[in-house]
Amino acid sequence: MKRSREIVGLPVISISEVANCGQVKSLLVNAQKGAVDFLIIEREAWYAECRLVAFPDIVGIGIDALTVETASKVTLLSGSTEALDLLNEHVGVIGTRLMTKRGNLVGVVSEIGVATNSGKITGCEWIPAGQDAPAGVIPSEQIITFGRNFIVVTDHFMDNLRSSFSNGSSTAPPPSYPSAGPAVETKSDPLKFFEQQQRQYLLGRKVTKQIVAADGQVIAEPGQSVTHEMIELAVRKDKYVELTLNTSE
């Protein structure tokens, strides 16, 4: 499960081409399914058309990036009638007012949880009317309808309120990072194969931007060639993704 803010802003990386296809701009919700059907990708230029990725085409959503098999999975918005219809429905969820089945306004939604394997909305973070801080998470079982202006919940949703998105659901294992040694994984695991390809792709490329760790240690300078040692240091300092996005031939 991921919160929407953990998805928006992620770079979209194609596994086959080892290329950055853009950043996630927003989530496109299917109100009838109560799920995220598409991710809107930022325009390549101000005059360019919006692009998107269908949720079933996502290989994985990690801490640092979202992966797809090939860059062709990032398509033009105009090519999807379904996505255009959802845009016209304009169901944003976050910021939408909450109403009980009996017609009582009880607050607004401040965040949503999204199942990474299906796109299903697992719950909505609830800020009660007249308050500024969230009071808990309303699980999807207590949500009756997602609408453009209101989200309707059961009258007794507070009896089933969760303290957080992770409460009552399984916790994902901690992310694994690529090692500095030669990769030996096969294509049977797309994410591991992506790490293998990316590491081979990086070695010998020129750094285009100074990469500095949070503690001030310089990891790489512009013009330097990427080495195994540089990659290892970037991994330890949580700067691996920044390094991969700032190199050239």
Side-chain angles (χ1 to χ4, degrees):
M1 190 283 302
K2 293 284 187 182
R3 295 172 176 81
S4 69
R5 60 175 172 265
E6 295 175 309
I7 301 174
V8 173
L10 286 178
V12 179
I13 306 295
S14 68
I15 295 172
S16 296
E17 298 91 347
V18 197
N20 185 350
C21 302
Q23 284 188 317
V24 178
K25 181 180 180 181
S26 60
L27 313 182
L28 197 50
V29 173
N30 185 321
Q32 292 186 343
K33 292 166 54 179
V36 175
D37 274 5
F38 299 92
L39 303 183
I40 303 297
I41 310 303
E42 288 186 344
R43 302 171 188 265
E44 293 181 283
W46 66 268
Y47 52 82
E49 184 179 340
C50 283
R51 298 169 297 153
L52 54 79
V53 174
F55 210 93
D57 289 332
I58 297 171
V59 174
I61 304 176
I63 295 176
D64 300 309
L66 179 150
T67 56
V68 293
E69 284 286 359
T70 66
S72 63
K73 298 299 183 181
V74 180
T75 60
L76 294 177
L77 175 60
S78 60
S80 173
T81 303
E82 182 182 355
L84 290 171
D85 289 342
L86 293 179
L87 272 178
N88 289 331
E89 291 177 9
H90 194 60
V91 177
V93 184
I94 295 176
T96 303
R97 289 179 291 178
L98 285 162
M99 177 184 288
T100 65
K101 188 176 181 180
R102 291 182 180 273
N104 298 317
L105 290 173
V106 291
V108 298
V109 174
S110 58
E111 180 59 289
I112 60 173
V114 180
T116 55
N117 62 338
S118 65
K120 179 178 173 58
I121 296 175
T122 61
C124 293
E125 190 175 63
W126 167 53
I127 296 181
Q131 297 186 23
D132 297 323
V137 173
I138 304 172
S140 58
E141 296 80 9
Q142 299 299 311
I143 300 171
I144 300 172
T145 310
F146 289 95
R148 180 172 184 172
N149 299 311
F150 300 99
I151 294 173
V152 181
V153 296
T154 65
D155 293 320
H156 305 289
F157 75 93
M158 284 188 288
D159 295 336
N160 298 279
L161 205 63
R162 295 177 180 173
S163 59
S164 66
F165 284 107
S166 60
N167 187 14
S169 61
S170 60
T171 303
S176 59
Y177 293 94
S179 63
V184 295
E185 302 294 342
T186 67
K187 293 184 181 181
S188 60
D189 186 332
L191 289 176
K192 294 288 181 66
F193 180 59
F194 163 66
E195 290 177 359
Q196 173 188 344
Q197 278 197 313
Q198 187 178 50
R199 295 181 66 78
Q200 295 302 318
Y201 170 78
L202 279 177
L203 289 173
R205 289 176 64 84
K206 298 295 184 182
V207 179
T208 59
K209 169 190 171 183
Q210 186 184 58
I211 310 296
V212 182
D215 60 6
Q217 182 177 1
V218 176
I219 297 170
E221 293 282 6
Q224 289 182 328
S225 296
V226 177
T227 63
H228 284 296
E229 293 74 17
M230 186 184 294
I231 293 175
E232 177 66 19
L233 180 59
V235 170
R236 291 202 308 269
K237 297 295 184 178
D238 198 24
K239 288 291 181 177
Y240 180 69
V241 171
E242 185 175 348
L243 177 64
T244 64
L245 298 179
N246 291 281
T247 64
S248 65
E249 295 182 357

